[in-house]
Amino acid sequence: MPVRTVGATHRAAHASQATESPEVRAALNWFSRNLGWINDQQVRITEVPAPPFQESSRAELVKSLLADCGLEVSIDKTGNVIGELTGATDKEIVMLTAHLDTVFPPATEVKVRRDGIRLSAPGISDNGTGLAGLIAVARAIHEAQIKPRRTILFVADVGEEGEGNLRGMRALVDTYHAKLKAVVVLDGSGTDHVTTKALASRRLEVQINGPGGHSWSDFGMPNPINALVRGSIRFINTKVPASPRTTFNLGQIEGGTSVNSIPYEAKLKVDIRSESEDELVKLESALRESIAAGARDEMESSRDRSKGKLEWKIDVLGTRPGGELAPNSQLFAALRAADDYVGNQSRVERSSTDANIPLASGIEAISIGAGGTGGGAHSLQEWYEPTGREMGLKRALLTLIGVSGLAEEKSK
Ligand SMILES: [Zn+2]
């Protein structure tokens, strides 16, 4: 459609105009001169533990780092750190965000090991890279004295991982919804992708309870672990389509008190995802049917039903809505213009990230890596190598400025 073509071309030209501003060029140059400093901040941040629901120590550190960038910084009641750079207009807001939390429990060893250029520690890349990128972009913009047209919020948010259920981003979108024009999420490393499609997912917890008893004298009594195993085997035999891609994971299992006790409780956490909301609904009912059948099988085969029966339930721990960024959006044009400028090629991806929440509310949003290379996310062997980090940082900065605009553009 001609109207769209003109609009998109105009916007791309607009975004690349930013690189003609001396302030923007100064900000881009700031990165390569400060790579050592950026690495050091990433190490500092990673070494402050941020288990799910316990992000406050790391939040304090990031707050002080953002304050050093000349920003007005506060922590909201959800725990998000918000640094504000007021634009020529405060009626419109864009956000650059990186999640604070890791998947690792308290007491996980998070000391960073340096081996040549390689940095290793749980959380070093996801999301040490994103948080270091957030600080670096804020610092570069501050040092170069860039004045944006729209207000920019630099945000380190809580609750991205697992049962955090995106609560930090949910709160941000609730608060700023009316003014919020675009969200750029920095998550992990790399420059190879841009997540513009939000993957719908659900996390469920199965709980089966029974009377419990002695392994010898009460043998034959219905056993919640047996029931859970029976139900789980039924569920994992469920056929899921390759397209639309649909997945499930039995991620955590617990229950029982000792080897010689018939347990009174067994629990299982399951993550299900799909490109299609319909498949997600089907898979959730398959889980419910499988667990019901597992409990029934166990009851039917137990010899002694006089001592009680099994009860089961499935709770939804979290749900992430789907959504998609329009290909003709201003944000997508800004990202592509940034890719062109830095000589990067990136593929469009669908994934479950903080961007799900704004996308589901019709707000432009993407999630990108903050440069360099990383691996082993969510494992104790996680690592990061900063080689090539500048490209990721420049790409993030240009995308952000592409959607915030520059204050002086108005007077031209
Ligand atoms: Zn992450």
Side-chain angles (χ1 to χ4, degrees), residues 172-395:
L172 292 165
V173 169
D174 271 358
T175 304
Y176 297 103
H177 189 264
K179 296 179 174 181
L180 190 55
K181 298 300 166 191
V183 181
V184 177
V185 175
L186 298 177
D187 198 346
S189 308
T191 52
D192 57 337
H193 76 279
V194 50
T195 300
T196 61
K197 300 167 197 224
L199 179 65
S201 73
R202 228 161 271 187
R203 284 91 195 265
L204 302 138
E205 184 175 57
V206 178
Q207 186 177 335
I208 305 180
N209 287 89
H214 192 274
S215 63
W216 170 258
S217 53
D218 294 320
F219 180 68
M221 172 188 281
N223 178 324
I225 290 183
N226 292 3
L228 189 65
V229 170
R230 292 177 193 269
S232 298
I233 288 169
R234 284 176 177 259
F235 177 65
I236 62 184
N237 285 320
T238 307
K239 294 276 178 286
V240 291
S243 173
R245 185 169 155 80
T246 303
T247 66
F248 58 81
N249 183 52
L250 276 55
Q252 214 179 345
I253 191 162
E254 61 181 85
T257 51
S258 73
V259 68
N260 56 345
S261 301
I262 297 172
Y264 62 89
E265 186 171 79
K267 288 180 175 181
L268 170 68
K269 287 180 187 169
V270 184
D271 164 285
I272 61 178
R273 301 178 184 217
S274 181
E275 291 173 355
S276 145
E277 196 75 37
D278 285 354
E279 290 297 333
L280 201 65
V281 170
K282 272 201 241 170
L283 197 52
E284 183 179 338
S285 38
L287 178 66
R288 290 180 185 280
E289 282 161 24
S290 301
I291 295 301
R296 193 184 58 230
D297 291 352
E298 174 64 11
M299 287 290 292
E300 279 170 4
S301 62
S302 66
R303 282 192 242 168
D304 185 357
R305 270 175 257 177
S306 64
K307 288 181 184 158
K309 57 185 179 69
L310 296 177
E311 285 182 353
W312 64 272
K313 62 170 185 165
I314 298 181
D315 291 330
V316 177
L317 297 176
T319 163
R320 298 179 172 207
E324 254 181 68
L325 179 68
N328 64 339
S329 60
Q330 185 186 9
L331 178 55
F332 195 66
L335 182 273
R336 284 306 187 211
D339 269 344
D340 285 350
Y341 184 81
V342 301
N344 186 49
Q345 289 197 325
S346 59
R347 61 174 195 282
V348 167
E349 267 192 2
R350 183 188 297 273
S351 177
S352 178
T353 70
D354 262 341
N356 281 49
I357 300 300
L359 284 172
S361 306
I363 297 166
E364 295 186 8
I366 56 173
S367 176
I368 55 177
T373 326
H378 295 194
S379 83
L380 298 175
Q381 286 73 43
E382 191 170 346
W383 58 270
Y384 177 70
E385 289 185 1
T387 310
R389 188 207 292 265
E390 309 91 280
M391 181 189 271
L393 296 175
K394 288 176 180 175
R395 180 182 184 231

Side-chain angles (χ1 to χ4, degrees), residues 40-257:
D40 291 345
Q41 304 322 303
Q42 183 165 347
V43 169
R44 273 178 81 187
I45 292 167
T46 304
E47 289 184 344
V48 178
F53 301 96
Q54 296 174 55
E55 299 101 334
S56 59
S57 310
R58 183 177 286 184
E60 288 299 332
L61 170 60
V62 172
K63 184 183 176 193
S64 75
L65 288 167
L66 285 176
D68 291 346
C69 303
L71 301 171
E72 192 78 47
V73 195
S74 58
I75 296 184
D76 72 9
K77 63 181 193 300
T78 311
N80 298 310
V81 186
I82 302 169
E84 179 172 333
L85 177 61
T86 309
T89 170
D90 61 1
K91 293 195 176 63
E92 295 181 337
I93 288 173
V94 299
M95 266 184 208
L96 183 69
T97 76
H99 69 84
L100 282 165
D101 55 316
T102 69
V103 296
F104 302 100
T108 303
E109 177 57 74
V110 289
K111 180 110 191 84
V112 177
R113 282 159 290 133
R114 292 184 187 240
D115 181 15
I117 57 160
R118 178 172 285 216
L119 305 173
S120 299
I124 185 73
S125 175
D126 179 15
N127 194 21
T129 312
L131 289 164
L134 177 78
I135 302 296
V137 172
R139 189 80 190 235
I141 286 176
H142 174 62
E143 299 284 335
Q145 300 184 349
I146 291 176
K147 304 267 182 293
R149 189 174 65 78
R150 290 169 164 168
T151 291
I152 300 177
L153 299 183
F154 296 91
V155 180
D157 61 310
V158 296
E160 193 272 340
E161 301 284 4
E163 285 161 43
N165 200 27
L166 311 182
R167 71 182 190 287
M169 186 57 83
R170 285 178 208 266
L172 292 165
V173 169
D174 271 358
T175 304
Y176 297 103
H177 189 264
K179 296 179 174 181
L180 190 55
K181 298 300 166 191
V183 181
V184 177
V185 175
L186 298 177
D187 198 346
S189 308
T191 52
D192 57 337
H193 76 279
V194 50
T195 300
T196 61
K197 300 167 197 224
L199 179 65
S201 73
R202 228 161 271 187
R203 284 91 195 265
L204 302 138
E205 184 175 57
V206 178
Q207 186 177 335
I208 305 180
N209 287 89
H214 192 274
S215 63
W216 170 258
S217 53
D218 294 320
F219 180 68
M221 172 188 281
N223 178 324
I225 290 183
N226 292 3
L228 189 65
V229 170
R230 292 177 193 269
S232 298
I233 288 169
R234 284 176 177 259
F235 177 65
I236 62 184
N237 285 320
T238 307
K239 294 276 178 286
V240 291
S243 173
R245 185 169 155 80
T246 303
T247 66
F248 58 81
N249 183 52
L250 276 55
Q252 214 179 345
I253 191 162
E254 61 181 85
T257 51

